[in-house]
Amino acid sequence: MKKSIVVLLSFLTLISCSKSQTVDAEKSANLDHIAIKKSMIKALEWQEAHPIFAIAPTDWTAGAYYTGVARAHKTTKNMMYMAALKNQAYWNKWQTYDRLHHADDVAISYSYLYVARNEKRRNFVDLEPTKKFLDTHLFEDNNWKAGTNKSKEDKTILWWWCDALFMAPPVVNLYAKHTKQPKYLEAMHKYYMEAYNRLYDKEENLFARDMRFVWKGTKEDRKEPNGKKVFWSRGNGWVIGGLALLLDDMPKDYKHRDFYVSLYKEMATKILEIQPEDGLWRTSLLSPESYNHGEVSGSGFYTFALAWGINNGLLDKKHTSAVKKAWSSLAACQHEDGRVGWVQNIGAFPEPASANSWQNFGTGAYLLAGSEILKLK
C-alpha cells in the first residue's frame, strides 16, 4: 500500500513538473534552438555551482558529466563549456581516479582527450596519466582478468558490469584515434566482446547490469513483480550512449565496426518499442509499473543515442517524433534555476527518482541529449 502511494505521488509530481513549465521550457520542448541552448547553459551553470561526486572529482560521475559538457561544446562551440572542461582538467591535474583495474576511473579522460583535440595551446594538456591508466588497465594482469574474484556479480572479466561499456570503451577508442595506435582499439574490442557475450540478452536486446540479473533457468533468477527479467534503464542507457560515442569516433573502415552498428540498431529498436507514452523511460524497462514515473538519466542517454542515430543515418527519420517527445519530457524536468531533477541516485538496479533527486551524471545525460537534439532536422 505504501509503495502504491509513493508511486502515485511520484507520478503526480512528474505531471505537475510538466504542467508548470516556463515559457522557455515550452520553447525548448518545441525544439526552439535558442531555448534549448539556454536550457543547456542553465544546466551547466547550476551544476558547476553545485559540484557533487561519489568518491573524488575524477570519479565516474564527473566523467559522465564532463562527457556531456564536451559534447555540448562540440555542437554549440559555446566557450562556457570549454571553460568548464579546461578548469576541471587543470584542477584535477589531468589525473584519472586511482583504481587502474576499474573502468569507472578512466571515464574522466574522455573530457581530457576532447580538450587535447580542441585546445591548441602548447603544453597545456597532459595525457600521461590517461596513458598510464590505459596501459595498465588493458595490458597488465589483475584479479578480475584472472577470473579469481568469485562473487554474486561474478567479477571474472575486466568489464563485468554493463555500465563499464560507457566508462572505458569511448575513452580507449578516442585515445586510439588521437594517438593513431590501433592496439588500443583491438584491446577495447576484446574486452567489449567479453561483456557482450556475458550480459547481452539476445531475446530482449537489452543488457543485464551484471551476472546477478542474468537468467540461468533456476528458481534463484531475479524477476520483476510482473515476472519479467530485470533490465535497468540507466544501465542500458550507459551501453547505448556509449555505443553512440564509440561509433562517432570509430574509424569507418574498422574491421569490427559492423558489430557495433548492428548492436546499436538492435538496442535502439528495442528502446523505441518500449518508450512510454509520455516520452520518458521508467527505471525498470520491462516492468514500468514498478516505479511508474519517468527517469532522466536513462532517458537522457536514450535521447542522445537515438537522436545521434537519426543524425548519422543509422535510424530512420520516422523516429524523430519519438525523440522529440523524449526531449520535451526531459525539458519539463528541469527546474527554473537550471537543476535537472528526476535522476535516480547512484545504484545498480531499478529504483525510484523524484523531482528533487539530481546527480551530475544526470546533468551530463541532459547535455548529451541536447547536443544531438540541436542537430535534428
Side-chain angles (χ1 to χ4, degrees):
M1 182 65 178
K2 288 183 179 179
K3 181 178 178 181
S4 298
I5 293 173
V6 170
V7 169
L8 177 61
L9 289 174
S10 296
F11 179 65
L12 292 174
T13 305
L14 180 58
I15 292 176
S16 175
C17 174
S18 178
K19 287 186 175 179
S20 64
Q21 285 181 339
T22 63
V23 172
D24 285 336
E26 289 171 352
K27 287 182 178 179
S28 177
N30 292 323
L31 301 196
D32 178 303
H33 283 203
I34 293 174
I36 294 171
K37 290 178 181 178
K38 183 177 179 180
S39 168
M40 292 168 66
I41 286 293
K42 285 178 69 175
L44 172 81
E45 290 180 326
W46 190 90
Q47 194 62 71
E48 289 293 307
H50 299 84
I52 187 173
F53 49 82
I55 307 173
T58 53
D59 71 21
W60 64 271
T61 67
Y65 167 54
Y66 283 109
T67 296
V69 176
R71 299 294 298 199
H73 179 266
K74 184 174 183 177
T75 295
T76 67
K77 304 305 180 187
N78 188 315
M79 286 303 297
M80 289 186 69
Y81 297 114
M82 182 55 78
L85 290 167
K86 291 167 68 174
N87 287 344
Q88 62 94 20
Y90 177 81
W91 291 116
N92 287 341
K93 297 182 180 179
W94 306 93
Q95 294 293 320
T96 64
Y97 193 52
D98 57 8
R99 299 173 299 180
L100 301 185
H101 66 293
H102 205 302
D104 283 0
D105 294 352
V106 78
I108 193 69
S109 288
Y110 189 94
S111 63
Y112 301 161
L113 283 159
Y114 182 82
V115 174
R117 295 178 63 80
N118 290 275
E119 171 58 46
K120 306 305 180 186
R121 188 180 305 165
R122 290 184 180 180
N123 302 319
F124 178 68
V125 177
D126 180 9
L127 293 181
E128 195 58 34
T130 296
K131 181 181 187 304
K132 175 186 175 183
F133 187 107
L134 293 180
D135 286 345
T136 302
H137 187 73
L138 298 173
F139 305 121
E140 294 186 12
D141 294 334
N142 62 55
N143 69 336
W144 289 355
K145 290 180 185 177
T148 59
N149 192 325
K150 304 289 185 181
S151 61
K152 290 181 180 180
E153 296 92 341
D154 197 8
K155 302 177 182 180
T156 53
I157 60 173
L158 184 60
W159 297 337
W160 53 263
W161 71 116
C162 72
D163 319 28
L165 300 183
F166 179 95
M167 305 302 167
V171 173
V172 180
N173 182 50
L174 189 54
Y175 186 80
K177 180 178 181 179
H178 184 66
T179 62
K180 298 180 174 59
Q181 296 186 68
K183 70 174 184 177
Y184 291 97
L185 191 53
E186 288 306 304
M188 184 279 292
H189 180 67
K190 171 187 173 182
Y191 294 119
Y192 200 106
M193 291 305 299
E194 285 185 350
Y196 167 83
N197 289 330
R198 174 178 287 195
L199 301 177
Y200 187 59
D201 188 311
K202 293 182 180 179
E203 293 180 356
E204 299 293 350
N205 293 337
L206 295 168
F207 276 79
R209 196 274 177 175
D210 56 60
M211 284 299 292
R212 291 174 297 172
F213 303 97
V214 173
W215 276 20
K216 306 176 185 68
T218 70
K219 63 181 181 180
E220 283 76 33
D221 288 342
R222 292 197 181 191
K223 297 185 175 85
E224 289 288 10
N226 64 6
K228 294 186 178 180
K229 298 174 183 177
V230 180
F231 290 108
W232 181 35
S233 180
R234 186 163 68 235
N236 281 275
W238 289 129
V239 179
I240 197 169
L243 279 167
L245 293 171
L246 267 177
L247 289 167
D248 203 53
D249 288 316
M250 185 177 283
K252 295 294 189 291
D253 61 351
Y254 177 53
K255 61 185 178 182
H256 297 301
R257 183 180 174 88
D258 286 349
F259 163 79
Y260 296 96
V261 170
S262 294
L263 179 58
Y264 168 84
K265 289 182 176 180
E266 288 176 6
M267 291 192 70
T269 298
K270 180 68 174 190
I271 294 303
L272 285 163
E273 177 187 310
I274 61 175
Q275 183 183 26
E277 185 60 31
D278 64 9
L280 291 184
W281 289 264
R282 286 21 180 177
T283 59
S284 181
L285 292 179
L286 300 189
S287 183
E289 65 274 15
S290 292
Y291 304 107
N292 192 19
H293 59 76
E295 194 278 323
V296 160
S297 64
S299 296
F301 290 127
Y302 296 142
T303 305
F304 160 67
L306 295 172
W308 179 89
I310 293 170
N311 291 333
N312 288 274
L314 271 69
L315 281 184
D316 195 293
K317 290 185 179 180
K318 70 181 182 182
H319 299 301
T320 300
S321 60
V323 177
K324 287 181 177 180
K325 181 192 291 187
W327 174 257
S328 174
S329 295
L330 286 172
C333 292
Q334 184 178 36
H335 292 250
E336 189 70 32
D337 60 4
R339 175 167 51 108
V340 178
W342 290 99
V343 177
Q344 181 190 333
N345 283 318
I346 295 170
F349 49 83
E351 293 180 288
S354 73
N356 294 315
S357 57
W358 58 273
Q359 290 285 345
N360 54 0
F361 52 80
T363 307
Y366 189 79
L367 293 175
L368 280 165
S371 73
E372 289 296 327
I373 287 291
L374 285 169
K375 300 176 187 177
L376 281 178
K377 302 298 184 186

